[in-house]
Amino acid sequence: MNDLSPNTRLASNTPNPPAAAGSAPGAASGSSRPSVLSLTIKEKAALYAAYMPFLKNGGIFVPTSRQYQLGDEVYLILTLMDDPTKIPVAGKVVWISPPGGGVRQPGIGVHFPADETGVAARKRIEDILGTALKSSRPTHTL
């Protein structure tokens, strides 16, 4: 039913496997602290395309060509629309669209945590999107 390219991976809710030894240089795996990413979305259509409402706590697609592994922790600084407030979220990589993976934009899907930062990020995004959440337009992930 899902139209996933063969190079796109989606994590399950199973516990995270240990990071593979010998990860590619510059990869986030095996690092002692999370990678810091910044994402600014200025248009509602771009937010709709990036938001991942099908994840339990919500999540967002972050365009990047940097290599990540499923389960990597990332620290995301999210800026939405014209709001100068930055939303800090510590999440986990649950989706990977690698560079050269077909028609999909390279990047990662970051699952928001169940804590107050994740709840705040999800609420802010869903408040902005409103009824657009019910749209059937394609997104970066599905």
Side-chain angles (χ1 to χ4, degrees), residues 2 9-13 50-62 70 76 89 91-96 108-114 118-119 122 125-126 133 139 141-142:
N2 291 337
R9 297 184 289 170
L10 180 64
S12 67
N13 288 333
Y51 185 50
M52 301 172 78
F54 53 86
L55 295 175
K56 181 178 179 182
N57 303 316
I60 198 148
F61 179 83
V62 181
L70 295 175
L76 178 62
V89 181
K92 288 196 183 233
V93 175
V94 295
W95 181 279
I96 298 173
I108 58 172
V110 177
H111 189 195
F112 297 151
V119 170
R122 182 178 191 154
I125 291 169
E126 290 182 353
L133 283 169
T139 68
T141 53
L142 294 179

Side-chain angles (χ1 to χ4, degrees), residues 71-139:
D72 282 352
E73 292 184 10
V74 295
Y75 187 79
L76 178 62
I77 300 169
L78 187 58
T79 306
L80 301 174
M81 313 310 270
D82 294 326
D83 187 348
T85 305
K86 296 183 184 320
I87 303 168
V89 181
K92 288 196 183 233
V93 175
V94 295
W95 181 279
I96 298 173
S97 290
V103 296
R104 293 200 184 276
Q105 180 175 17
I108 58 172
V110 177
H111 189 195
F112 297 151
D115 66 15
E116 62 277 354
T117 64
V119 170
R122 182 178 191 154
K123 180 173 180 357
R124 179 72 180 117
I125 291 169
E126 290 182 353
D127 285 350
I128 292 169
L129 291 176
T131 59
L133 283 169
K134 295 181 176 35
S135 175
S136 61
R137 292 177 305 189
T139 68

